[in-house]
Amino acid sequence: MSLRADVAALVALFHKVKFERTTDYRQLERVIWWLRFGLRPLPAGDPDRPLLLALLGNALWQRYERYDGLADLDEAVFRLRDAVDSFDPDRDRRLGHLSDLSIPLRSRFQRLGNRADIDTAIWAARQAVEGAPASTTPAAALNNLAHSLFHRYEATGELLDLQSAIGAALQSVNATDPRAPERALRVNVLMMAFTSRYLATSAAADLESAVTAGRETVAITPLNDRMRSQYLSSLAYALQLRYRRDGNLQDLDEAVALSEQTCVTTPDDHPLKGAHLVDYATALFARFSRSRLRADLETALGAGRAGAALLASDHPARYLVMHNLCLMSTELFEITGAEADLAESIRLGQQAVDGCPPDYPDRSVILRRFSMLLARRGGPDDFSGALRYLSEAAHVRAAPATDQLRAAREWGVLALNASTQAEALAAYTRGVRLLPIVAWPGLGREVREQRLASFDDIVSAAGATAVAAGQYATAVELLEEGRSVLWSQLLQIRADHAKLHTVAPALAARLDQVRHGLDQSLHLDQFRVG
């Protein structure tokens, strides 16, 4: 390394340490300036160039996180790619560059939604994990792998990604010293993954693990840490979920207080300010649903609108914000009866429908709720539009099967009310066909029984609609199919597994191992605190 590059690197590291201790972004600007200064004289083959490139890439990403400048994010990806592609005689250092590369790629996927970015982020983190010596546990790379897998699951609903994310996150957390400053970040990733799996499986243990992990992250994070607001937000969300499950108002009040604290402590020009305001609005709206206090609703609407105004127009989650504002505005209409409030609800709902990608898991719920608004307005084209949206909602294959099933049920009810019997039968038939997926064998027996019981009206409605249409054989078929879901699954698994043992015993044995592993990860995860 040249003398100039050597001095630049040392000064940059000095300012980096000051930035990490003070969160003074003027120090980060000095880091970036000195690293650029040090890189200029270094030729492409200089063995120290990859390190300076990686340091610059990480610093640019940190500046992006604060100021939301897409140019910083793109350059961070470019610099870290250059560091990975350059020759580095230090093998462990190159693995670190691979792990670091996954971070801005993941951020860019969250910002722009380009699938190639998250796939490459997973590849880079996995390379860093697999390249580590067998005698070590690469906690940082495992955390980056878990975080990237989690975000791909959030976009695709692929449960295998979520399972893998939890496995990697557990390894990362358990390999991190309880006193290490990076522990909070790693526990938070595990917490988010547990929260998502609770949403997918309704396993109570996952939600309790999420709350436990969330409390740890908040407890061990200094008050001036730049990540603290995100940890507060994550814990608030988990507490809201627990409130929805148990109805304990103390959880909801704590969630509202944490969300408000998040907003107060986040600077107005911070790129996450809008998201935190939206989260605060969501928590207040949940409390309004319980208390029916108009003050909570109006404060929620104010915070939600302010948050939406701060979000970038191309923010990938903007459609969700519009959807939540639509729900709040609908409640205001229920109080005031003003047509202007209903019109505002429909305007917001249409924005949510138009902005939600067709293959996103959230689309089914958004379509279903918007269709109910159209039916409520009852205009000349509203009923046909509502039926069309409900039909689509019942067939969004990326959505949870329970969401598709709710849409099918409401589709059938609305079709009967509109006297379109054939469409009602199609809706209820779709509902019956979804029951085995809603109660898929990977869930615990108790959860499967609860889910089937909550949708038992669909089976009887399907039979009754088929009888009314004069399709008696179809009625018998639907009733039989709907009432024997668990028994049919048991027979099918036994028959298929026995046949597989006969045809390919090694593959059947491997299937047994995988099934056992999935059962363990779904129900028996142990989260070690401290």
Side-chain angles (χ1 to χ4, degrees), residues 99-304:
S99 179
D100 289 345
L101 173 60
S102 70
I103 299 172
L105 282 168
R106 182 174 67 242
S107 293
R108 195 163 68 178
F109 170 73
Q110 292 175 261
R111 172 72 179 271
L112 302 177
N114 186 340
R115 175 65 183 267
D117 278 341
I118 196 64
D119 289 344
T120 307
I122 291 169
W123 170 85
R126 186 167 278 138
Q127 290 288 309
V129 170
E130 293 174 355
S135 59
T136 64
T137 302
L142 281 164
N143 179 71
N144 286 332
L145 176 60
H147 208 169
S148 298
L149 285 164
F150 167 76
H151 280 292
R152 189 167 72 178
Y153 163 77
E154 289 287 288
T156 66
E158 178 56 57
L159 191 61
L160 183 59
D161 277 343
L162 183 57
Q163 302 283 32
S164 300
I166 289 176
L170 278 167
Q171 285 183 271
S172 176
V173 169
N174 288 336
T176 303
D177 190 295
R179 296 160 296 181
E182 60 271 16
R183 181 175 174 86
L185 178 66
R186 296 170 187 175
V187 174
N188 187 61
V189 172
L190 180 60
M191 180 222 178
M192 293 189 299
F194 273 135
T195 302
S196 286
R197 195 169 68 182
Y198 166 75
L199 291 171
T201 67
S202 302
D206 280 339
L207 183 54
E208 293 307 317
S209 293
V211 172
T212 300
R215 292 198 187 284
E216 183 188 354
T217 60
V218 171
I220 65 178
T221 303
L223 294 176
N224 64 341
D225 191 289
R226 67 182 188 276
M227 296 296 295
R228 183 176 174 83
S229 63
Q230 294 183 49
Y231 301 155
L232 289 168
S233 179
S234 295
L235 176 57
Y237 180 56
L239 288 167
Q240 283 187 69
L241 291 177
R242 194 164 71 176
Y243 161 74
R244 292 176 201 169
R245 186 193 68 187
D246 301 336
N248 186 341
L249 191 57
Q250 184 177 351
D251 280 340
L252 185 56
D253 286 338
E254 185 180 359
V256 170
L258 289 171
S259 297
E260 184 177 19
Q261 184 181 349
T262 300
C263 294
V264 170
T265 57
T266 302
D268 289 341
D269 63 343
H270 194 284
L272 288 177
K273 180 75 170 188
H276 292 328
L277 282 165
V278 168
D279 291 342
Y280 178 43
T282 302
L284 280 167
F285 185 53
R287 191 166 68 182
F288 163 78
S289 299
R290 171 77 172 261
S291 67
R292 310 309 295 180
L293 290 174
R294 185 168 175 174
D296 276 346
L297 177 60
E298 291 179 342
T299 305
L301 270 168

Side-chain angles (χ1 to χ4, degrees), residues 405 408-414 416 423-433 457-459 461-463 465 478:
L405 190 50
R409 177 162 58 190
E410 293 183 15
W411 177 24
V413 170
L414 188 61
L416 286 177
E423 188 163 358
L425 182 56
Y428 288 128
T429 299
R430 172 63 178 165
V432 171
R433 300 284 149 75
D457 59 314
I458 286 182
V459 179
T465 305
L478 290 171

Side-chain angles (χ1 to χ4, degrees), residues 26-92:
R26 292 173 299 178
Q27 300 299 328
L28 186 60
E29 295 298 330
R30 292 173 184 138
V31 171
I32 293 170
W33 189 92
W34 279 103
L35 288 172
R36 291 193 194 282
F37 178 77
L39 273 168
R40 288 191 196 109
L42 294 183
D46 191 293
D48 292 303
R49 189 168 180 271
L51 175 60
L52 294 186
L53 286 167
L55 289 171
L56 178 57
N58 289 328
L60 288 163
W61 173 77
Q62 287 178 309
R63 190 166 71 179
Y64 161 78
E65 286 284 288
R66 177 61 180 84
Y67 298 112
D68 203 33
L70 193 56
D72 279 342
L73 184 57
D74 286 339
E75 188 182 355
V77 171
F78 175 78
R79 296 293 187 177
L80 280 161
R81 279 188 191 275
D82 198 357
V84 168
D85 293 339
S86 300
F87 170 73
D88 193 329
D90 189 326
R91 179 175 175 274
D92 291 341

